Structures are given as structure tokens and as C-alpha cells.
């Protein structure tokens, strides 16, 4: 599963750079749409970094809770940024996909905090 996340985050991070270049240099659209697309890029890039950090922190932990933040951040990218891209680039009615992506991302942050508290507790118990 971790290999899938590493591959996915690499593709999401790389595609964010390519999309940003296209939006900045080749896409002819209104300022409002461009602002929305730039927001999607920003969160795609930020959350890609969060997936990497989550994966590093999870390491080889046998506990599933440690990998959950990475999954939430990845799904958050797909839903939040993907919803914005679908709306503006493909004229799709994305409905609640974008807000759901935001909620999933917030859940990732909460799970990261819970996972971090677990690491702190285990470190204290083992004498580190």
C-alpha cells in the first residue's frame, strides 16, 4: 500500500507543476476561473508534501492509523483539486466533491495529530 501512495504522490506532485505551467502560460480564461484553478494547484502541491511527510512519519509502523493521514491527504487532493479542475476545465457539475475534499483533508490533519500523539506516548514509554 505504501508503494501505491509514494507513486501516487509523485504523480500528483509532478502533475501539479505541469498544470501550473499550463495555467500560467497556455490557458486563456477569466481571472475568476484562473484564481480558482490556482487555488487547486496550491492545495495539490501543499497536500502532496503532506503525503510525503505522513509517509515518512509512518515509516514501517505496523499500525494502520499511521498511514491514514497520507490516504486522507491523497483523497483530499483528488476530491478538492480534482473537483475544481473538473468544474472549470471539463464543465462538470462537481457538486459537493470539492467541499468533501476539504473535509477529508481536515480529517488527515486530525489523524496526523492523533498519530503524532501516539509516537510521543511510545517514545516516553521506551525512555527516549
Amino acid at each position: 500500500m505504501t508503494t501505491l501512495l509514494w507513486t501516487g504522490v509523485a504523480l500528483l506532485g509532478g502533475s501539479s507543476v505541469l498544470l501550473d505551467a499550463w495555467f500560467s502560460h497556455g490557458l486563456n480564461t477569466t481571472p475568476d476561473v484562473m484564481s480558482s484553478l490556482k487555488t487547486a494547484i496550491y492545495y495539490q502541491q501543499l497536500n502532496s508534501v503532506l503525503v510525503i511527510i505522513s509517509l515518512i512519519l509512518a515509516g514501517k509502523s505496523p499500525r494502520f492509523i499511521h498511514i491514514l493521514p497520507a490516504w486522507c491527504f491523497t483523497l483530499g487532493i483528488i476530491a478538492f483539486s480534482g473537483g475544481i479542475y473538473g468544474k472549470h476545465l471539463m464543465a462538470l457539475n462537481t457538486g459537493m466533491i470539492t467541499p468533501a475534499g476539504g473535509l477529508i483533508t481536515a480529517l488527515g490533519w486530525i489523524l496526523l495529530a492523533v498519530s503524532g500523539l501516539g509516537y510521543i506516548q511510545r517514545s516516553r514509554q521506551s525512555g527516549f
Side-chain angles (χ1 to χ4, degrees):
M1 280 297 194
T2 306
T3 303
L4 178 64
L5 280 170
W6 276 108
T7 304
V9 73
L11 294 172
L12 287 168
S15 66
S16 73
V17 174
L18 296 173
L19 286 168
D20 194 25
W22 176 43
F23 296 164
S24 297
H25 304 291
L27 186 64
N28 186 16
T29 189
T30 67
D32 286 343
V33 169
M34 184 60 74
S35 176
S36 184
L37 290 170
K38 287 292 189 171
T39 298
I41 287 290
Y42 171 77
Y43 281 100
Q44 183 174 346
Q45 291 173 339
L46 174 67
N47 289 332
S48 292
V49 172
L50 289 170
V51 174
I52 293 168
I53 291 169
S54 297
L55 287 170
I56 290 169
L57 291 175
K60 296 185 183 210
S61 173
R63 299 189 63 203
F64 186 67
I65 184 94
H66 295 141
I67 201 72
L68 282 177
W71 278 108
C72 286
F73 294 133
T74 301
L75 294 174
I77 292 169
I78 293 166
F80 181 81
S81 296
I84 293 172
Y85 301 145
K87 177 181 177 180
H88 294 299
L89 300 175
M90 297 187 261
L92 297 175
N93 180 6
T94 56
M96 294 300 296
I97 292 172
T98 302
L103 288 173
I104 293 167
T105 301
L107 178 61
W109 278 103
I110 292 165
L111 290 169
L112 188 59
V114 169
S115 182
L117 290 173
Y119 281 120
I120 291 168
Q121 186 178 26
R122 281 191 307 284
S123 295
R124 288 183 181 161
Q125 288 173 350
S126 65
F128 285 113

